[in-house]
Amino acid sequence: MDFQLSESQRALQEMARKFAREVIRPKAAHHDETSEFPRDIIASAWENGLLNMNIPESCGGLGLAHLDQLLAYEELAWGCSGMATSITANDLANLPIVVGATEEQKKRLLTPFTEKFKLAAFCLTEPEAGSDVANMSTTAVRDGDHYVLNGSKCFITNGGHADQYTVFATVDKARKHKGITCFVVEGRPKGLTPGKHENKMGQRASDTVTLTFEDVRVPVANRIGEEGEGFRIAMETLDNSRPITAIMSVGIARAALEYSLEYSSQRRTFGKPIREHQAIQFMLADMAMNTHAARLLCHESAWLLDQGQKNTLLSSYAKCFAADMAMKVATDAVQVYGGYGYIKEYPVEKLMRDAKLIQIYEGTSQVQRLVIAKELFK
Amino acid sequence: MKILVTAKRVEDPESKIKVKPDGSDIVKEGLKYKINPFDEIGVEEALRLVAKHGGEVVVVSIGGKEVQEQLRHALAMGATRAVWVNHTGTLDQMGVAALLQKVADKEKPDLVVLGKQSIDDDQNQVGQYLAEYLGWGQATFASKVESLESEQEKSKSPALHVSADGKSVRVVREVDNGLATIECTLPAVVTTDLRLNLPRYASLPGIMKAKSKPIEELTPQKLGVDVTPKVQVLKMASPPARKAGIKVPDVATLVDKLRNEAKAL
C-alpha cells in the first residue's frame, strides 16, 4: 500500500488545479447563468493537454493511467462540474474505441483528437431506454459496405458541438442486448440532427441535446467490434468511466466544504463565528470525512483498472457513494450559508444543482445499487 | 542563444506562514512549495526569447533533492535541461550568487535571467551580486506597461529585445517613476518584474516530457565554492498583531476620529 503521489502526479494535479482556479472558476457563474457553451475554455484545456487524457500513446495521446486522470478531473470539477463534464465527454465517447477497436481504427479515429481541438459525444441513452439499455430502439441496417442508422438519442453531452459521435444501435431488436452494436460517426453527416439545447437545472455549462438519426450512413469500417458486441463494449466503457464521473462529485464536495469553512469563520451569530457552534462543526466534520472517503473509493476503483483488474463492484461503490455524498455535502453547504446560500450571488446553490446530476447520469444511484447487489450475489 | 534561468523553491504564497515558538525558523510542516513566481516569469521570458532567436534554456536551482520538483516544473514549461546544485544548508545571498557564478562560468550563457526577488526572503540582491561577480552588465526589474501587452505591441516593442547582431540586449525596466530603457552588452544579467509576462502553464504533455529531460547534479564542493554564510539570522518573530478596528457610523465621525484620535489629518 502506498498513498503517496509521485512527483509527476503532483505536477499534473497542480497544473489542473491552477487551470481550474485561473481559467474555469472565474467563468463558472457566467456560463451557469447563461448556459452558453464555454468553447474557448474547453479549447484552452485542449491546448494544455487536459482533453483526451485516455488516448493511447500509440495514437499520439498521453495514455494517462486512470488514477492520473482522476487527479486532474477532481480539480476541473472543483472549478465547474459543468465544464468538467464537457471535457470528460470526449473521454467517454472515445473509450469504446480505446476498449473495443482494432489498431487501425484507433489510429484513424483517435489520432485527429491529438492534432486539433475536436469534441466527441457518447450516444447511448434513448427516450425509452436509459437504465434499461437493452430496450434500445435505434436501428442499424446493413446496406453493402455501409450501415444505415435510424432513431433518436437523448441527453447527449456535447451533442450539439461534437465533431465525432460514438453511437450504439441495434442490428436486431428481437435479440435484445445481443443485437446492440457500436458505430463511430465522423463529422456531421446528412440526417444527423441535434435538437435544441436542454435547459437543465445544473451543470448548465455543458451542452445536452437530443439527436435524431435519419438514414445516417456509416461505413462498415467504423463499426467497433462485431455485430452484437456493443453491449459489452458499452458496459466496459462505463466500468472505465465511472471512477471519473465519481471523482467529479469529490470535486464538487471539496468546493462546497472549502466555501463552508471560509463562510463559517466569517459569519457571526450569537456573538461568535458560526463555526464555533458545535452543530456547524459537526456538519463541517461530516462534509470533510465523507469527501475524503469518496475520494479514496474513487482512487481505489481507478487503481484496480490500472492494475488490469475488473472494477465493476468498486466503481459502482465509488459512483454511488460519491454522488450521494456530494448531494448531501452541497445541501449542507447551502445550509451553512443560511439564507445567503439560497441566493445566486453566493457560490453554493450552484453546487447543489450540479451535484444532483451525478446521481442520475452514467447510471443512477439506484442502478449502481443493483450492480452492487448483483456482484454481491455472485 | 543560451539562457540560464533560476527556479528557486519557495513556500506557496497561498499557504499560511507561522513562526516556530522558539523563533528559530518558520513552521515547515504541511507547507506547500512552488517555483518563485518571479523566476517563473524569467523562465517564460527565456522560452519566448529562445523561440524567437533559437538556442536553449538551462534552468538551475539550489537546494536539497526536493528542488528537483521546481526544476521539473521549468522543464515542463519547456526548458531544455536542468542543473541542480545539491546543497541542504543555509545560504545567504552572496553564497547563492557565488554558486550561480560558477554555474554560469561552466555553462557560458549569453544571458542569465532571474526573478527580481524571491517571495520568501524578499532580498532582491542575488541578480545584482551575480552581475558583480561575473563582471557583466545588469538590467534589473525588466518590465513593460500593460498597454504593451497586446501581441502586436509586444512584437513591436518587447521588454527584452536582443539586437540583430546578438551582441546586446535592450531592456525596459520598471523604475520608481515610470519606465527606463537601457542597453546591455551580452552576456548580461536580467532580473524580472511582475509585469514582464504571463507565464504559460506547464501543459500535461510538457509534464510527461519533463520526466525524461536531464538534470545534472552539482555540489558547492564540485563547483569549488565556499558557501559559509556571512549573514546570520538571529531570530524570527511574527509581526505584532494589529489591534481590532472599529466601524464608524458616518463620515463625520470618521473625520473626527482621524483628526482627534489618530492625529492623521
Side-chain angles (χ1 to χ4, degrees), chain B residues 33-50:
Chain B
Y33 289 85
K34 62 188 335 179
I35 182 171
N36 179 34
F38 291 108
D39 284 354
E40 197 175 22
I41 292 169
V43 176
E44 176 64 38
E45 198 63 23
L47 291 170
R48 290 185 191 185
L49 286 172
V50 159

Side-chain angles (χ1 to χ4, degrees), chain A residues 184-201:
Chain A
V184 173
V185 179
E186 294 175 83
R188 184 79 59 81
K190 200 168 152 282
L192 169 49
T193 324
K196 73 166 177 54
H197 170 65
E198 303 285 4
N199 187 9
K200 299 194 299 294
M201 169 186 178

Side-chain angles (χ1 to χ4, degrees), chain A residues 7-8 10-12 14-15 17-19 21-23 47-50 53 62 64 68, chain B residues 12 14 32 34 40 65-66 68-69 72-73 199-205 207-208 211:
Chain A
E7 187 188 286
S8 67
R10 282 204 307 278
L12 182 162
E14 186 53 45
M15 185 264 152
R17 183 168 295 176
K18 196 170 173 204
F19 188 86
R21 189 175 57 228
E22 293 173 2
V23 182
E47 275 166 29
N48 285 293
L50 288 166
M53 293 187 234
L62 293 173
L64 282 194
D68 293 7
Chain B
D12 188 328
E14 284 180 22
K32 279 196 184 159
K34 62 188 335 179
E40 197 175 22
K65 196 172 188 326
E66 64 282 357
Q68 290 192 13
E69 200 173 324
R72 292 266 181 234
H73 179 87
R200 69 194 67 187
Y201 292 97
S203 73
L204 231 48
I207 292 168
M208 296 300 142
K211 283 203 259 187

Side-chain angles (χ1 to χ4, degrees), chain B residues 138-172:
Chain B
Q138 58 174 295
T140 51
F141 319 123
S143 174
K144 73 182 97 171
V145 289
E146 270 151 16
S147 64
L148 294 179
E149 271 292 347
S150 81
E151 283 307 316
Q152 207 188 358
E153 289 294 321
K154 216 157 32 189
S155 59
K156 242 192 283 175
S157 176
L160 255 71
H161 177 77
V162 177
S163 62
D165 60 7
K167 286 188 177 148
S168 67
V169 62
R170 198 187 63 216
V171 181
V172 180

Side-chain angles (χ1 to χ4, degrees), chain A residues 27-341:
Chain A
K27 301 291 274 181
H30 171 80
H31 289 278
D32 177 56
E33 183 71 27
T34 60
S35 190
E36 256 169 46
F37 188 65
R39 197 176 176 88
D40 292 352
I41 294 176
I42 298 170
S44 165
W46 178 80
E47 275 166 29
N48 285 293
L50 288 166
L51 230 65
N52 314 311
M53 293 187 234
N54 63 358
I55 292 185
E57 284 175 89
S58 59
C59 303
L62 293 173
L64 282 194
H66 291 86
L67 187 54
D68 293 7
Q69 295 178 38
L70 254 55
L71 295 174
Y73 283 131
E74 178 183 330
E75 301 307 325
L76 300 182
W78 171 91
C80 171
S81 58
M83 294 191 207
T85 290
S86 305
I87 290 171
T88 57
N90 263 31
D91 288 351
L92 180 63
N94 286 334
L95 262 167
I97 306 172
V98 175
V99 304
T102 63
E103 275 309 310
E104 180 276 325
Q105 286 176 320
K106 284 184 194 175
K107 285 219 164 66
R108 180 163 54 84
L109 299 169
L110 296 177
T111 310
F113 284 87
T114 69
E115 291 165 345
K116 71 189 255 281
F117 171 52
K118 288 177 71 151
L119 288 170
F122 177 79
C123 314
L124 181 69
T125 301
E126 296 184 359
E128 310 264 306
S131 299
D132 181 12
V133 176
N135 195 33
M136 182 175 288
S137 64
T138 298
T139 54
V141 177
R142 177 96 183 231
D143 176 23
D145 55 3
H146 280 77
Y147 283 89
V148 181
L149 267 52
N150 276 289
S152 73
K153 297 283 176 185
C154 64
F155 309 140
I156 304 306
T157 306
N158 284 355
H161 294 266
D163 308 289
Q164 186 161 300
Y165 297 82
T166 308
V167 187
F168 292 83
T170 178
V171 289
D172 181 2
K173 197 159 189 280
R175 281 161 64 189
K176 288 285 190 181
H177 64 267
K178 287 183 181 132
I180 297 175
T181 309
C182 175
F183 302 92
V184 173
V185 179
E186 294 175 83
R188 184 79 59 81
K190 200 168 152 282
L192 169 49
T193 324
K196 73 166 177 54
H197 170 65
E198 303 285 4
N199 187 9
K200 299 194 299 294
M201 169 186 178
Q203 300 206 5
R204 291 170 53 80
S206 76
D207 168 59
T208 311
V209 300
T210 297
L211 289 174
T212 42
F213 293 81
E214 238 176 324
D215 295 329
V216 173
R217 294 180 71 80
V218 190
V220 173
N222 280 12
R223 187 189 70 211
I224 306 300
E226 296 300 318
E227 281 191 8
E229 278 194 320
F231 187 77
R232 179 189 63 76
I233 291 172
M235 292 305 117
E236 203 176 323
T237 294
L238 293 174
D239 278 354
N240 275 261
S241 70
R242 225 174 268 130
I244 290 176
T245 317
I247 202 76
M248 305 262 253
S249 317
V250 178
I252 295 174
R254 197 180 95 214
L257 169 65
E258 286 173 7
Y259 283 130
S260 302
L261 283 171
E262 195 188 318
Y263 185 78
S264 63
S265 65
Q266 289 162 4
R267 166 77 177 170
R268 298 172 73 88
T269 61
F270 306 104
K272 52 186 177 184
I274 60 170
R275 76 167 183 193
E276 288 174 22
H277 299 303
Q278 202 176 43
I280 302 289
Q281 290 179 359
F282 285 0
M283 283 169 83
L284 296 172
D286 281 346
M287 290 161 99
M289 176 171 69
N290 284 310
T291 304
H292 192 73
R295 182 183 294 116
L296 287 179
L297 276 177
C298 294
H299 285 191
E300 189 185 353
S301 69
W303 177 84
L304 281 172
L305 284 173
D306 289 331
Q307 303 304 308
Q309 296 178 37
K310 208 163 159 50
N311 77 337
T312 309
L313 181 62
L314 250 298
S315 77
S316 282
Y317 281 170
K319 164 75 166 59
C320 188
F321 182 82
D324 292 352
M325 175 284 298
M327 194 62 225
K328 174 84 171 86
V329 170
T331 311
D332 283 350
V334 172
Q335 193 69 18
V336 167
Y337 272 67
Y340 296 105

Side-chain angles (χ1 to χ4, degrees), chain B residues 83-109:
Chain B
V83 175
W84 164 39
V85 182
N86 186 354
H87 177 73
T88 48
T90 317
L91 279 176
D92 59 17
Q93 59 272 31
M94 287 81 84
V96 174
L99 289 170
L100 292 178
Q101 181 204 356
K102 293 293 175 185
V103 175
D105 284 348
K106 200 168 159 298
E107 292 286 344
K108 300 188 174 43

